[in-house]
Amino acid sequence: MSLRTTTAYVEDVSPDSGALPPRAWYASSDAKSLSLNGSWRFRLSDTADAEDDSFAAQGYDAGDWAQVTVPGHWVLQGHGSPVYTNHLYPFPVDPPRVPTENPTGDHLRVFDLPADWPADGAAVLRFDGVESCARIWLNGTELGDFKGSRLPHEFTVGHLLKTVGNVLAVRVHQWSAGSYLEDQDQWWLPGIFRDVTLLHRPADSVQDFFVHASYDHRAGTGTLRVDSDVAGRVTVPDLGIDVATGEPVTVPAEPWTAETPRLYDGVLATGGERVPLRIGFRTVELSDGLIKVNGRPLLFKGVNRHEWHPERGRALDLETMREDVLLMKRHNINAVRTSHYPPHPAFLDLCDEYGLWVIDECDLETHGFTEQGWRDNPVDDDHWTPALLDRAARMVERDKNHPSVVVWSLGNEAGTGRGLTAMAEWIRGRDGTRLVHYEGDPGCRDTDVYSRMYAHHAEVERIGRGLDGGPHRRRTLPFILCEYAHAMGNGPGGLADYQRLFEAHDRLQGGFVWEWIDHGIAHPDLGYAYGGDFGEELHDGNFVCDGLLFPDRRPSPGLAEYKKVIEPVTLTADGTDSAAGTVRVTNRYDFTDLSALAFSWSYEVEGETVDSGTLPVSALAPGESADVKLPAAPAGAPAGEAHWTVRAALASDASWAPRDHVVAWGQIPVSPRRVPHVAATARPAPDDGTIALGPAAFDARTGALRTIGEVPVTGLRLDVWRATTDNDDGAAWQSDLRYGLLWRKLGLHRMRHRLDAVEVGEEALTVRTRVAPAASELGLSTVYRWTSDGDRIRLTVSTIPDGDWTVPLPRLGIRFGLSTADRVQWYGGGPGEAYPDTRMASTVGRWQSTVDDLQTPYVRPQENGARMDVRWAELGGLRIEGDPVFYLTARRWTTEQLDAAAHRSDLVPGDTVWVNLDHGQHGIGSQSCGPAPLPRYHLRAEPAEFSFVFSPSGTAGTG
């Protein structure tokens, strides 16, 4: 036995020693396999060479070692701590050197072969993912070492296996030369985090194979050829195919698309093994300046997906991956960019099965070199090119047989250089059936797609119109936003505005929202932890929580908004201005007609359904529209504001959702809302320090509202502040206005309220104030005018800005406290939160909720939970009607407490429910990494007037 003690391999830029060449991955065959997942013995050392290699020898006693679960990360199992950085390397940048302080985990697994394990002895050991560098021994013999954390590596081991007592030893280093190539925006999490499998390799078994399955959309035929390193036969019973490997065959077939993921079951059989195949016929090409599949251009409605679980990190099981795919399909998402590394291969199986377009991205990012102007960037250093080519090959060879993969991506945020060109050339030479993507190549020298991140709406429109300039080659290419709409905290805003551009210009082939899920780590005290919660020397805070799902995979309001914005059928009004009219139905699928959908209508008055029925809609082809006649308004329908709501739902069960799952909806107004009117018939009546006016009582000295009926009301006043969102605060590198910082600089979070006059008139109580921050001449002259008809009381608020306001307001409305309010009912937008540029998913209806459920549980607390277009609401014994409609927010803590909280656990419910009734809110935007709200969503400081009508609801304590 030879045990090597040197650790030079850790800093060697070469990708591996001893590993087999990459090949196609497949989940199963009739050859035996043995999962080595489970409980492993574990020892953690502070440095790469703190321990010798004797642990790898047979007979080593590891009885006093800890235990960890594989797949897993040791820092999430009580050994050390995770580290989050966006792009900064958490170690000195001195490639390829890494710190002496290099956490190193020794792993041991003793296993027996199953009784039916074949005796011929040929076998390989496969590691699907280890971060960041591993050295392997079996039964005391060193197999080799490797880097490339999110890529598979196999070793020949058959000659070393024993029937019982096999000792597998794996030494894993957190930092290595490979770490310089893996500076993705995510937690640094060392460990064996994907499967470890022993594979029997019978004589004449399948080694590498390549399924070529093209589709001719003109002839309706598929052409299949399976190239195999070991000769055999390919059978596809449904197509009557039985041919030798390497021989092409053309047959009538149904195509594979993300909308119609038709897979044909086949078998590749060699002399020693049978491998199941799932074949999808499709042809990807760059034609007429567009990405086309089967002759038709695509519109990506995508997401970027890091692998994440709040307890297991990047160690995902099959059911979690399936949950992701099903959630995507149910929210109309049709594409995934595997940011920023190839996913677990089983995820791609699911994309094949359920139907998602995939941009498969290489495990490559060197973003931290931007701090030094990309000096010494590995992608422009020939010494590193073999490692880059190895990563490209291991991605392509592993994933080449997936029909869902339509584009290869060289990596992410790695600058430019000769190494990337070498990768692109190798990929095109190996697989000419897909396109190549890389966002960081502004001249598009190495790519087939012009790709950008977070381009503003105006720039995207210029690109769509072909007015962007730049190199000629780039101007001939399709454009995608590989990242846009940064889903950090409350947001993202502006999705609908992007989608309108995508649909208006052929060159714009969609985009991928950043990103799928918040990377919060489950924490017993904080709820979910983010950067800095583990004492990191360097960190990027909650920038790691920027997903459309919360860490527990509950959809955020942003995901509901995205589903609505990208729905594949649009249902809009077509000249309807009465109870009878038409709805325009437009098919926005790329490939399928509407025959799989059933359409229905409902007629609603004041949010209550009066009648409903089915709506006959023809099976419109992709891109077609039709005006469909709605029925006459139901006879005897009550008076009031009325809407048609038209829905498109699955007509039968699909693989990804049950029958009646709503795919799209539209709402058409029929009659206007009724504006509340209060005749000023009651007179203010001063009496013993109070002023009575209708059902309300006021403090005679200050004019402050005290009660409405039997309901105490505290602290009613103008409010302009909101707990800034991540998008309000913006990113440190943003050159545009970061409104959250400007608002704080102006002091809008600490407004003072000066009482100027309390005037008791014949019909009204008028309170004049000025609301302004200390140290500023800016202010808002504010007048509260109260009138009543005896049963109800109306508040009219008038504001006039003083001074030169150059920034918008966060919000404009009133805030007050109620001593009790458990449930809320309202008529207006719902069921979830909405803001000016995140309102597409808000449906006018009658809704109810608890106060607690009105809150949106963003990992970092911030402004949330507003329901917009509210006509009336009931809570805490009050009924509130708006003129005009308003935003409603209610919570058991103040805005100031919300603003100060770093985690949900910081928010402690108080005895008062604080209610905001807002005339306006500033837009949300995407400025945590992308653009600020568009100007039309700004809440400008300008004269405003709005009213609310209050009355006792008779439900004090429950309403």
Side-chain angles (χ1 to χ4, degrees):
M1 179 179 66
S2 173
L3 296 179
R4 184 172 55 153
T5 57
T6 178
T7 58
Y9 67 95
V10 175
E11 295 179 340
D12 189 340
V13 298
S14 62
D16 66 76
S17 67
L20 293 169
R23 65 187 182 114
W25 189 96
Y26 50 95
S28 64
S29 76
D30 64 350
K32 296 293 183 184
S33 66
L34 175 65
S35 172
L36 298 178
N37 296 345
S39 180
W40 290 51
R41 290 291 181 178
F42 176 79
R43 175 182 65 186
L44 181 64
S45 303
D46 293 333
T47 67
D49 56 0
E51 305 285 351
D52 62 29
D53 302 338
S54 61
F55 81 103
Q58 298 180 82
Y60 183 88
D61 183 5
D64 60 346
W65 286 21
Q67 290 185 310
V68 295
T69 297
V70 171
H73 307 277
W74 70 68
V75 293
L76 298 183
Q77 300 184 58
H79 306 281
S81 297
V83 174
Y84 167 62
T85 60
N86 168 28
H87 76 280
L88 296 175
Y89 289 105
F91 48 81
V93 180
D94 183 22
R97 305 298 302 277
V98 294
T100 301
E101 297 81 16
N102 187 357
T104 295
D106 290 334
H107 300 69
L108 273 179
R109 176 80 152 85
V110 178
F111 66 93
D112 300 334
L113 295 179
D116 60 351
W117 191 266
D120 63 10
V124 299
L125 179 65
R126 184 175 69 204
F127 294 86
D128 281 316
V130 182
E131 183 176 329
S132 72
C133 174
R135 185 177 170 194
I136 319 297
W137 297 263
L138 181 62
N139 292 329
T141 297
E142 183 173 346
L143 304 179
D145 57 73
F146 65 87
K147 309 174 191 74
S149 297
R150 269 67 71 172
L151 296 162
H153 294 81
E154 292 182 329
F155 298 87
T156 299
V157 297
H159 60 295
L160 300 174
L161 289 173
K162 304 186 303 180
T163 303
V164 297
N166 293 284
V167 178
L168 177 57
V170 183
R171 173 162 285 175
V172 180
H173 307 284
Q174 174 156 19
W175 311 123
S176 69
S179 301
Y180 285 100
L181 304 180
E182 296 173 2
D183 189 26
Q184 293 100 337
D185 175 11
Q186 61 182 341
W187 294 97
W188 298 88
L189 298 174
I192 306 172
F193 69 95
R194 287 186 184 159
D195 306 284
V196 182
T197 311
L198 183 68
L199 303 167
H200 178 242
R201 308 311 303 140
D204 203 25
S205 61
V206 173
Q207 294 186 34
D208 193 21
F209 64 97
F210 197 161
V211 176
H212 302 273
S214 61
Y215 184 74
D216 184 336
H217 64 279
R218 298 176 183 86
T221 56
T223 299
L224 176 67
R225 187 185 83 245
V226 178
D227 296 332
S228 176
D229 288 357
V230 176
R233 295 197 69 80
V234 177
T235 55
V236 186
D238 284 357
L239 296 175
I241 292 175
D242 185 346
V243 296
T245 54
E247 292 186 9
V249 58
T250 300
V251 295
E254 299 175 39
W256 188 98
T257 74
E259 296 168 9
T260 56
R262 178 66 163 98
L263 293 174
Y264 289 91
D265 291 325
V267 174
L268 166 60
T270 62
E273 187 177 14
R274 293 171 58 84
V275 175
L277 304 177
R278 304 208 77 191
I279 301 164
F281 292 95
R282 56 104 185 96
T283 295
V284 184
E285 61 181 338
L286 183 62
S287 175
D288 303 320
L290 298 174
I291 305 168
K292 293 184 179 180
V293 173
N294 303 337
R296 298 188 64 87
L298 302 183
L299 184 59
F300 291 121
K301 302 172 181 179
V303 292
N304 287 274
R305 176 187 175 268
H306 269 297
E307 295 183 304
W308 188 252
H309 188 280
E311 295 169 343
R312 302 192 299 272
R314 288 188 286 278
L316 299 189
D317 61 356
L318 180 62
E319 287 312 305
T320 299
M321 291 185 265
R322 190 186 306 277
E323 183 180 357
D324 279 349
V325 170
L326 293 178
L327 280 169
M328 290 176 191
K329 294 290 291 186
R330 291 168 184 170
H331 287 86
N332 295 329
I333 290 164
N334 73 357
V336 178
R337 175 178 174 232
T338 69
S339 53
H340 297 295
Y341 43 83
H344 191 292
F347 179 78
L348 298 180
D349 286 342
L350 295 168
C351 294
D352 295 342
E353 178 182 352
Y354 292 103
L356 288 168
W357 307 115
V358 175
I359 296 181
D360 197 358
E361 191 147 274
C362 195
D363 190 9
L364 173 62
E365 180 167 336
T366 64
H367 199 174
F369 285 91
T370 189
E371 294 294 315
Q372 53 204 56
W374 296 108
R375 186 171 59 255
D376 298 327
N377 185 10
V379 305
D380 201 29
D381 183 338
D382 292 339
H383 292 90
W384 292 82
T385 299
L388 304 182
L389 290 172
D390 179 77
R391 288 172 184 248
R394 290 188 182 277
M395 171 183 69
V396 171
E397 302 294 8
R398 192 196 77 167
D399 297 341
K400 60 182 178 280
N401 294 327
H402 290 283
S404 59
V405 176
V406 292
V407 178
W408 301 117
S409 179
L410 303 181
N412 183 68
E413 292 177 319
T416 58
R418 299 185 299 275
L420 288 165
T421 300
M423 293 170 69
E425 290 175 348
W426 184 91
I427 290 173
R428 289 194 177 97
R430 176 57 172 150
D431 177 23
T433 68
R434 296 175 173 93
L435 306 184
V436 175
H437 165 273
Y438 178 63
E439 179 272 339
D441 179 10
C444 296
R445 178 184 62 183
D446 299 323
T447 73
D448 300 312
V449 181
Y450 179 25
S451 176
R452 289 282 304 281
M453 296 179 181
Y454 306 108
H456 291 223
H457 297 80
E459 183 180 4
V460 172
E461 183 168 18
R462 287 196 300 273
I463 293 169
R465 294 180 181 276
L467 303 176
D468 48 309
H472 174 75
R473 169 172 165 75
R474 192 179 78 186
R475 287 184 280 116
T476 67
L477 297 179
F479 177 81
I480 64 169
L481 281 167
C482 68
E483 294 180 21
Y484 82 114
H486 199 246
M488 185 175 177
N490 189 333
L495 282 168
D497 303 281
Y498 276 116
Q499 194 65 25
R500 280 191 284 270
L501 294 173
F502 297 158
E503 293 172 356
H505 304 286
D506 291 343
R507 187 189 182 193
L508 306 180
Q509 292 200 255
F512 296 78
V513 169
W514 186 269
E515 65 158 312
W516 177 238
I517 188 169
D518 287 343
H519 299 199
I521 293 177
H523 192 283
D525 300 320
L526 303 177
Y528 292 106
Y530 49 77
D533 289 332
F534 299 96
E536 300 102 307
E537 179 183 29
L538 294 173
H539 67 85
D540 285 289
N542 69 311
F543 201 69
V544 77
C545 295
D546 46 13
L548 294 169
L549 295 182
F550 298 121
D552 61 1
R553 283 183 160 72
R554 279 186 295 166
S556 73
L559 183 55
E561 178 79 356
Y562 195 35
K563 176 186 177 181
K564 174 60 180 170
V565 165
I566 62 175
E567 60 190 7
V569 183
T570 56
L571 302 157
T572 56
D574 180 47
T576 300
D577 58 0
S578 64
T582 59
V583 57
R584 174 158 292 170
V585 181
T586 302
N587 179 356
R588 296 199 181 277
Y589 284 110
D590 292 327
F591 295 90
T592 59
D593 63 25
L594 301 185
S595 58
L597 301 178
F599 292 78
S600 63
W601 59 266
S602 60
Y603 187 84
E604 296 136 11
V605 178
E606 299 292 316
E608 299 279 11
T609 299
V610 175
D611 199 1
S612 61
T614 59
L615 189 68
V617 176
S618 62
L620 299 173
E624 285 189 342
S625 296
D627 294 330
V628 179
K629 184 73 172 178
L630 291 166
E641 181 182 14
H643 290 86
W644 294 103
T645 300
V646 181
R647 297 176 177 86
L650 292 180
S652 58
D653 290 346
S655 63
W656 48 271
R659 177 184 177 183
D660 296 330
H661 167 79
V662 175
V663 171
W665 59 270
Q667 199 164 51
I668 301 168
V670 176
S671 57
R673 64 177 293 256
R674 295 183 293 188
V675 177
H677 176 70
V678 175
T681 56
R683 296 188 174 186
D687 180 29
D688 193 24
T690 64
I691 299 173
L693 178 59
F698 301 82
D699 183 283
R701 183 179 63 84
T702 64
L705 177 66
R706 292 291 179 247
T707 60
I708 297 176
E710 301 298 321
V711 179
V713 180
T714 61
L716 188 149
R717 64 184 189 183
L718 189 78
D719 193 13
V720 300
W721 181 246
R722 72 185 187 195
T724 53
T725 68
D726 293 313
N727 288 308
D728 289 337
D729 291 336
W733 61 85
Q734 292 279 2
S735 58
D736 292 346
L737 295 174
R738 297 168 63 192
Y739 290 112
L741 300 183
L742 293 174
W743 292 336
R744 291 186 195 276
K745 183 177 180 180
L746 283 176
L748 301 189
H749 60 306
R750 48 176 175 79
M751 301 290 274
R752 305 293 180 87
H753 297 254
R754 186 184 74 206
L755 178 62
D756 288 340
V758 177
E759 301 170 357
V760 180
E762 286 292 315
E763 296 181 344
L765 170 65
T766 303
V767 180
R768 302 185 184 277
T769 69
R770 187 174 189 271
V771 182
S776 173
E777 65 179 357
L778 299 179
L780 296 167
S781 295
T782 305
V783 177
Y784 308 92
R785 187 172 188 271
W786 297 90
T787 58
S788 175
D789 62 3
D791 297 318
R792 299 174 297 163
I793 188 158
R794 181 186 188 101
L795 166 64
T796 299
V797 181
S798 304
T799 64
I800 298 176
D802 297 335
D804 183 17
W805 287 82
T806 59
V807 298
L809 296 169
R811 73 184 334 139
L812 181 66
I814 61 170
R815 180 177 77 170
F816 57 89
L818 298 175
S819 60
T820 180
D822 297 323
R823 298 199 62 82
V824 184
Q825 299 180 54
W826 74 97
Y827 169 45
E833 74 179 23
Y835 292 83
D837 54 348
T838 65
R839 62 177 298 163
M840 297 299 292
S842 182
T843 313
V844 175
R846 194 171 295 197
W847 311 101
Q848 58 180 319
S849 171
T850 64
V851 169
D852 294 338
D853 286 344
L854 288 178
Q855 315 312 308
T856 305
Y858 295 115
V859 174
R860 184 191 75 81
Q862 56 198 272
E863 165 62 34
N864 74 89
R867 271 58 178 180
M868 73 177 303
D869 293 331
V870 176
R871 280 76 163 154
W872 58 257
E874 292 185 354
L875 73 164
L878 294 181
R879 180 181 174 89
I880 306 161
E881 300 170 84
D883 182 14
V885 295
F886 59 95
Y887 294 83
L888 169 69
T889 309
R891 52 177 68 107
R892 299 187 188 278
W893 36 78
T894 65
T895 299
E896 291 74 19
Q897 290 167 328
L898 181 63
D899 197 27
H903 296 88
R904 292 280 299 173
S905 57
D906 297 330
L907 295 171
V908 179
D911 296 331
T912 301
V913 171
W914 293 96
V915 181
N916 277 89
L917 310 177
D918 290 317
H919 176 60
Q921 282 264 1
H922 185 62
I924 296 297
S926 188
Q927 202 175 9
S928 53
C929 193
L934 289 169
R936 62 177 166 273
Y937 303 122
H938 289 192
L939 180 59
R940 292 178 174 82
E942 56 191 15
E945 183 174 286
F946 49 94
S947 298
F948 303 102
V949 176
F950 299 87
S951 58
S953 66
T955 56
T958 62

